[in-house]
Amino acid sequence: MIYKFRKDIESDFEGYQELIDFYHQTEKVFFDEVVVDFSNVFWFEANLCAVLGAILVELKSKLNNIKFIRLNDKIKNIFLRNDFLSYSSSEKLVNFGQTTIKYRKFDSKDEKYFMHYVNGELLSKSDLPKMTIQLKKKISESIFEIFVNSVSHSETILGIFTCGQYFPTKERIDFTIVDRGIGIKEKIRKEIGEKMQGDEAIAWALEERNTTRKGDIPGGLGLKLIKEFIKLNEGRIQIVSNDGFCELSGNEVFQQVFNLTFPGTLVNIRFNIADTKRYKMSDEVDENEIF
Amino acid sequence: MKFFRGDKMQKEKLKINTFGEIGSTMCISTEDGEKIFSIIKKAFDKNITVEISFLNIEMITSAFLNAAIGQLYGKYEEKFIQQHLSVKDMADEDKFLLKRVVVRAKDYFANKKNMEKVIAEGLNENA
């Protein structure tokens, strides 16, 4: 079959809608050639390769062959630089510059590999835009919190997908993590029996104390820490899960519902790397009063 | 992991070198947190006091701390933990994170106990 994207793919509600439509239009295809036509796409945001990859993995598991056609040079260059083309259509790996954060697929037991990935792509890269050490640490911690959250909550069997991009002149990093798990709304319904709309479920999960955990290990903190950091950092966080969309930027919260469902959860974070705050804690914590 | 005997007035103390136990400067995963938890549990079950050192640790997530320390509050009384657990060589921001994990864990287990009580009462009423 041939699938033609209708427009640019950017990190916004319409861009995610376009990717969700692609998933639903192709989900039943089995043992075929799926030709993805990019002739209407002038721009495809690099970090969203994580989302496209998370969709393509299911098509591949259904024995389909994937082919990209009519990619403009700009997009082809992006897909080559971040290794996405090598994963998706057997292009040779090429070692380009330092502004990409490579596309990668991880299994939920790959936490150690993920640590190496973040180390290599973020912490120890030499040509990165200048950032304070503390900011680098906070960014990495946020990324780890999301990954571990996906591992513990999503029940994904198709994997976890990541990709990012540096924008040195705009002084920002965009980073996307996608899991092909059951989604936040479904997880809440399954674990605590509450029925919510997708966007309400995401907002619920972002509140402190809310968790679907019932076992021996407490939860309900990871996403809130990221939310707090992103607000201080003046960045942005978008979450798409099942039919829900939620975007937090400064004090603004934007929630929306898709007409179709995304098969999992994606978290897209924009970090402001011009941030020079020291992130000093307001109160010193006395070691003797922690417990 | 080593046992150190102090002077006669001191209790037996177990010192856990987190870096040595997980083999990394990054305390990220729940799995690594579980490793530390199981060592603490072994000691606590024998009434042994534990000191966890975070020397050489550069990064810690709430997921790791929830597994390593947060889940202790589901097994032991708060007072027992206060008397038997201490941390050292921890960066200020990580101490702040640990404090939040501890507050959250106490809350989580208090809610869990209440919920179990409500369910048990409901079952008794229906019996």
Side-chain angles (χ1 to χ4, degrees), chain A residues 109 111-112 115-116 119 123 134 136-137 140-141 144-145 148 152 208-211 213-222 224-225 228 279-287 289-291, chain B residues 22 24 26 28-32 34 58-59 61-63 66-67 69-71 73 75 78 82 85-87 92-102 104-109 111-112:
Chain A
K109 287 185 178 154
E111 282 167 337
K112 297 273 182 211
M115 277 158 63
H116 288 298
N119 230 333
L123 292 172
Q134 212 183 6
K136 236 183 208 185
K137 188 178 174 223
S140 307
E141 278 171 3
F144 284 131
E145 290 280 2
V148 176
S152 11
E208 187 148 3
R209 299 183 71 197
N210 288 347
T211 181
R213 277 192 185 274
K214 286 189 287 193
D216 292 337
I217 302 176
L221 199 55
K224 294 85 204 171
L225 294 169
E228 286 171 13
Y279 292 97
K280 206 170 172 354
M281 300 310 154
S282 51
D283 300 309
E284 292 281 312
V285 176
D286 182 348
E287 260 172 30
E289 287 175 7
I290 292 175
F291 303 113
Chain B
I22 67 167
S24 168
M26 296 200 248
I28 306 297
S29 68
T30 302
E31 200 185 336
D32 281 341
E34 290 270 19
E58 292 168 5
M59 207 168 288
T61 64
S62 67
N66 272 327
I69 294 173
Q71 67 171 318
Y73 288 85
K75 300 245 178 321
E78 187 178 330
Q82 282 165 355
L85 187 63
S86 60
V87 289
D92 281 346
E93 65 263 32
D94 294 332
K95 272 190 253 171
F96 188 78
L97 176 62
L98 176 57
K99 181 75 190 170
R100 284 189 71 170
V101 164
V102 165
R104 176 73 198 113
K106 288 177 191 172
D107 187 46
Y108 174 83
F109 288 112
N111 283 341
K112 202 172 170 219

